[in-house]
Amino acid sequence: MLHGTSGILILHRDLGMATVTSEIQRFAIKHEERLHHHVNVEAIQLLDVHGMRRLKRKKPHELV
């Protein structure tokens, strides 16, 4: 029986599955790359890392 974090990582490796954390990071990177090329100026402003945060949620750049 697998116990703890190392067991979960072994299971993910053996099954060829990504962990939830790595998937979140991958999607955050793709989202940020799309925003860099967006035609809407307000969407590009989402990349601004200064200023207020909403509801203590993480911004995509913090997930990378």
Side-chain angles (χ1 to χ4, degrees):
M1 181 160 206
L2 300 173
H3 295 287
T5 304
S6 61
I8 292 172
L9 294 176
I10 292 170
L11 185 61
H12 277 89
R13 183 196 67 209
D14 290 351
L15 294 176
M17 296 173 55
T19 62
V20 173
T21 304
S22 65
E23 283 296 299
I24 290 171
Q25 289 175 341
R26 188 173 69 86
F27 276 93
I29 290 169
K30 286 172 49 177
H31 177 68
E32 184 176 357
E33 289 172 357
R34 282 194 308 268
L35 285 178
H36 279 291
H37 303 291
H38 206 284
V39 294
N40 186 343
V41 176
E42 290 178 346
I44 295 171
Q45 289 173 347
L46 292 173
L47 295 170
D48 182 18
V49 296
H50 301 33
M52 295 181 358
R53 294 174 56 180
R54 294 177 2 140
L55 301 174
K56 296 186 179 182
R57 292 184 183 164
K58 295 182 178 180
K59 290 189 177 186
H61 74 275
E62 295 174 331
L63 298 172
V64 178

